[in-house]
Amino acid sequence: MIGLGTMGRNFLLNVSEHGFSCAGYDLDEAKRTLLLADGQNLPIETGASLDEFLAKLDSPRKIMLLVPAQVVDVVINDLIPKLEKGDIIIDGGNSHFPDTERREILLNENGFDFLGVGVSGGEEGARHGASIMPGGKKEVYEKVRAIFESASARVNGEPCVAYIGKNSAGHFVKMVHNGIEYGLMQLIAETFDLMQRALGMSSEEIAKVFEEWNRGELNSFLIEITSIVLRKCDEKTGKPLVEMILDTAGQKGTGKWTSQVALDFGVPVPTIDSAVTMRQLSAMKTQRVSFSGKFKQAGQDEQDGRNVSENLSVEVLKEALIASFVLTYAQGFSLLAAASVEKNYELDLKEITRIWRGGCIIRAALLEDFRKVFAKDSSLTSILFDENIVLMLKNRIDGLRKVSAYSAANGFPSYCLMSSLAFFDALKSVRLPANLIQAQRDYFGAHTYQRTDQAGTFHTPGWNS
């Protein structure tokens, strides 16, 4: 393992705990020392230099990198002169898939093998079982399969790792995983916001609701940790810690990449797009404070519950969250289906849903429902065409509509919830107003249009006559 930060160190400890002898390297001596301390009873060694580290590995060497994306090329370039034919380089970081494609070509041309591997689960997953998404040549994956299966999470005895597909498939799937993660987190945050500001609930009351939800259909890692973080008290003030955290969210780019690629492939992912936008808006704290002052009414405190009506309740919010969760996953799966064709990945969506059931950040009970959908019909391009998923949405879409209407009427920024509803309404509309757009395009640019009553392409030269 090259890169002994939190993820690299814990992943290596995980692998060595399963009986594989390991070696670690990091420029930071303190990180090498910490690895040896944590793994003192395990078959782990370190190297003080890259040469010393490489000398400890049997051929063909299997070298995994868990370093920041911007450092991967530097490490690979340092390794290339020191590698031997048949050595395997594994990039386990959050690399952008075009970089993975470029690196595979470079290493293959020099006689080395390469895998781009998505790893999800954070520190806990790295140490005790992650969801692992390997992409590249299948025969190369087989050489490290036993290692990855040992380090992965397990659900019903099955390892949460599977060969994803050719070339950059592993990092592409991990990118979409993170895009879905963006959407789910923003949906949860908007639900929390409405509970706190519209229903006037305390952090402890909201935590109890999320804890209850986690025992039902919404059972998931993100719902579970929401109840935990809402109960954490700030040692300095005694208040809930979440109330003391500045409302500016960070991002590492994977959500933005998902939106960009979806635009390139022509696949609508509006909930994910909205989540990226909301993180960007959250960073505009100074502008938001200034703009808010121009519209705030005298005596109004936006932290107080206001205009609570019978249309908004905890139960209605639950229905809205289930519906929007399903729609967000659906958007991600549709993008994967398109990429499988566009990039010739040959993705198995049943396998992807299976390995996402454990270890990863977006693991949820719903994924078992989605796995059954793809097991029944692997050719589906969208889970929304499955009759059971349709029924699930029919029973809950009214809740999402009520929450969206309430937010719009009372000025709450429920962007992802409302985007999910707009996506649903557009998808179920037999006729959209795009006919007007086509008429406008033909007027100013002679872009042509198609007719409803006959086949062919048409242009109207005299719109003003």
Side-chain angles (χ1 to χ4, degrees), residues 231-242 244:
R231 284 195 166 104
K232 182 68 175 178
C233 285
D234 177 38
E235 294 180 359
K236 183 178 180 180
T237 64
K239 297 180 179 180
L241 179 58
V242 70
M244 305 309 298

Side-chain angles (χ1 to χ4, degrees), residues 168-183:
S168 58
H171 276 142
F172 191 99
V173 170
K174 176 55 171 25
M175 175 194 71
V176 175
H177 165 285
N178 285 21
I180 295 171
E181 177 187 312
Y182 270 57

Side-chain angles (χ1 to χ4, degrees), residues 451-455 458:
R451 295 180 60 92
T452 60
D453 57 351
Q454 57 183 299
F458 301 88

Side-chain angles (χ1 to χ4, degrees), residues 194-233:
L194 287 166
M195 287 183 183
Q196 184 180 54
R197 293 203 286 151
L199 298 182
M201 297 171 64
S202 68
S203 293
E204 175 59 27
E205 289 171 330
I206 300 171
K208 288 180 180 178
V209 170
F210 277 100
E211 184 178 42
E212 180 184 342
W213 285 356
N214 192 52
R215 292 193 286 265
E217 291 172 279
L218 280 168
N219 172 258
S220 61
F221 174 73
L222 287 171
I223 294 292
E224 177 187 357
I225 67 168
T226 300
S227 67
I228 294 171
V229 301
L230 285 172
R231 284 195 166 104
K232 182 68 175 178
C233 285

Side-chain angles (χ1 to χ4, degrees), residues 17-251:
E17 207 168 52
H18 285 89
F20 295 93
S21 58
C22 303
Y25 175 70
D26 197 290
L27 290 172
D28 188 340
E29 182 182 356
K31 291 179 180 178
R32 301 197 302 269
T33 302
L34 180 58
L35 172 67
L36 293 176
D38 288 348
Q40 56 184 324
N41 298 317
L42 297 171
I44 293 180
E45 300 180 42
T46 62
S49 67
L50 196 56
D51 287 330
E52 183 181 329
F53 161 75
L54 291 171
K56 294 178 180 292
L57 304 178
D58 294 334
S59 294
R61 292 174 288 198
K62 305 172 183 68
I63 305 166
M64 186 168 181
L65 317 183
L66 268 171
V67 298
Q70 63 270 24
V71 182
V72 174
D73 284 328
V74 175
V75 176
I76 288 177
N77 288 334
D78 287 344
L79 281 170
I80 284 177
K82 304 175 185 295
L83 295 177
E84 300 170 355
K85 303 296 182 184
D87 283 351
I88 304 171
I89 301 298
I90 304 162
D91 177 13
N94 273 335
S95 291
H96 200 8
F97 71 92
D99 293 327
T100 300
E101 294 166 2
R102 171 176 55 78
R103 289 161 184 156
E104 182 178 42
I105 292 171
L106 171 67
L107 287 162
N108 287 174
E109 286 178 345
N110 283 274
F112 315 125
D113 288 321
F114 181 76
L115 294 173
V117 178
V119 180
S120 179
E123 178 181 357
E124 182 70 15
R127 184 65 183 87
H128 300 293
S131 179
I132 306 175
M133 297 152 258
K137 295 177 180 176
K138 189 169 186 179
E139 62 269 25
V140 177
Y141 167 65
E142 290 298 329
K143 297 176 182 179
V144 295
R145 177 176 179 173
I147 298 173
F148 283 144
E149 287 187 349
S150 75
S152 71
R154 289 182 176 266
V155 173
N156 300 327
E158 297 178 323
C160 291
V161 58
Y163 173 71
I164 297 297
K166 295 179 284 188
N167 308 117
S168 58
H171 276 142
F172 191 99
V173 170
K174 176 55 171 25
M175 175 194 71
V176 175
H177 165 285
N178 285 21
I180 295 171
E181 177 187 312
Y182 270 57
L184 302 183
M185 292 179 73
Q186 182 62 30
L187 288 165
I188 292 171
E190 290 174 4
T191 304
F192 158 75
D193 190 43
L194 287 166
M195 287 183 183
Q196 184 180 54
R197 293 203 286 151
L199 298 182
M201 297 171 64
S202 68
S203 293
E204 175 59 27
E205 289 171 330
I206 300 171
K208 288 180 180 178
V209 170
F210 277 100
E211 184 178 42
E212 180 184 342
W213 285 356
N214 192 52
R215 292 193 286 265
E217 291 172 279
L218 280 168
N219 172 258
S220 61
F221 174 73
L222 287 171
I223 294 292
E224 177 187 357
I225 67 168
T226 300
S227 67
I228 294 171
V229 301
L230 285 172
R231 284 195 166 104
K232 182 68 175 178
C233 285
D234 177 38
E235 294 180 359
K236 183 178 180 180
T237 64
K239 297 180 179 180
L241 179 58
V242 70
E243 294 179 13
M244 305 309 298
I245 297 175
L246 191 65
D247 59 326
T248 57
Q251 54 182 316

